[in-house]
Amino acid sequence: MTEPKLDERSVLGRAMRILESFGVEDRAVGLSELARRTGLPKATVYRISQDLTAARLLTASPEGYRLGRGLFELGMRAAAERTLLEVAVPFLQDLYTRTGETVHLGVRDGDEVVYISKLGGHRQARSPSRVGGRMPLSCTAIGKALLAHSDPLTIDRILAGPLPRRAPRTIVAPGVLRTQLDHIVDQGVAYEYEESALGLVCLAAPILDGSEPVAAISVTGPAGRFRPETHATPVRAAAAGVASILARRATPGEPGS
């Protein structure tokens, strides 16, 4: 079934263009900049932004507009992501305690990973990932873990490229990436060696519902200190533990459902 497309000319479509124009690093964005990013007339951006502010989806300040707390509250009502976080966070905490490195939980959205949780301490490696941020599936361990278990049409389409290059060591050869995806399915774990950013290495394991990828867990550390291969067993176990609890909760009458 083809998903319906939002009419960008509608009021809702223009409101979404404004909301989606905010980047992960943005603190406040002025009216003129929002108009530039969206391609909408400044008067239109102002009028819709006033409505979004009244709905608590934006917050106005002297520096410009910020995403509002109402968006966070709505997001936390999304049942699937809320349940996933409730189940996964104890496993993420265990992995962080065990490794001392940055731990992520991510889900697939289109051709990208969306990070929905990130745990790290004072000595965590500098990473391009942010909660709510996105990265291509093809150049991160967590993305490759999700992609390897996706349907064949999705894999073929992404491998048909072009594969986005995020760092000098990003894999952009479709044949090399396909071989990696095959190994991920066999081994149950994906690796990344400075493919999303220089100096970072990572491993990830998928959280599966049967053969379908629900999410993935990863551990990331600096290339000079972290050896991802030594943590494959606990990362696989954490992903399997989350999958097991999610499956029990989805079965009526099971304890904890």
Side-chain angles (χ1 to χ4, degrees):
M1 181 178 177
T2 303
E3 293 185 4
K5 291 187 177 180
L6 181 64
D7 183 356
E8 292 191 353
R9 298 168 298 178
S10 68
V11 174
L12 178 59
R14 287 178 288 176
M16 289 304 301
R17 284 169 68 180
I18 293 171
L19 293 174
E20 291 176 347
S21 72
F22 285 83
V24 175
E25 302 289 350
D26 286 332
R27 294 294 178 265
V29 182
L31 182 64
S32 296
E33 177 62 13
L34 284 177
R36 186 192 69 80
R37 292 183 184 185
T38 60
L40 296 171
K42 186 182 292 187
T44 300
V45 173
Y46 176 77
R47 183 178 68 254
I48 295 175
S49 295
Q50 291 296 100
D51 288 341
L52 291 171
T53 300
R56 298 174 56 247
L57 302 182
L58 287 181
T59 299
S61 71
E63 295 78 27
Y65 291 98
R66 298 182 176 89
L67 294 177
R69 186 172 297 172
L71 281 172
F72 173 79
E73 294 173 358
L74 287 173
M76 291 307 294
R77 295 177 197 172
E81 282 74 16
R82 186 178 69 246
T83 299
L84 176 60
L85 278 170
E86 289 172 353
V87 172
V89 164
F91 291 91
L92 304 182
Q93 292 171 334
D94 287 346
L95 280 176
Y96 171 69
T97 300
R98 184 185 189 104
T99 65
E101 306 294 351
T102 304
V103 181
H104 296 94
L105 177 69
V107 296
R108 179 188 160 207
D109 185 33
D111 295 350
E112 298 176 308
V113 176
V114 177
Y115 295 97
I116 63 175
S117 184
K118 179 179 181 179
L119 299 181
H122 297 297
R123 70 181 192 125
Q124 67 179 338
R126 292 182 61 84
S127 168
S129 62
R130 298 287 186 277
V131 174
R134 293 169 174 266
M135 290 287 284
L137 289 172
S138 56
C139 68
T140 63
I142 203 166
K144 288 191 284 187
L146 292 167
L147 180 58
H149 291 84
S150 297
D151 63 273
L153 289 178
T154 296
I155 294 173
D156 289 343
R157 178 176 55 77
I158 290 177
L159 290 179
L163 298 172
R165 183 183 290 279
R166 296 299 296 263
R169 297 191 65 178
T170 301
I171 295 171
V172 294
V176 175
L177 183 56
R178 185 180 291 278
T179 298
Q180 281 198 2
L181 297 179
D182 291 340
H183 289 162
I184 291 165
V185 173
D186 292 338
Q187 299 170 3
V189 65
Y191 295 99
E192 174 210 335
Y193 296 96
E194 300 185 273
E195 295 161 43
S196 63
L198 284 174
L200 289 182
V201 294
C202 183
L203 78 158
I207 298 168
L208 300 175
D209 178 4
S211 61
E212 296 293 319
V214 174
I217 292 173
S218 71
V219 180
T220 301
R225 181 181 69 224
F226 184 55
R227 296 294 176 263
E229 302 88 348
T230 64
H231 299 283
T233 297
V235 171
R236 275 194 299 256
V242 175
S244 177
I245 295 176
L246 290 174
R248 290 203 303 269
R249 288 195 173 193
T251 303
E254 287 288 333
S257 63

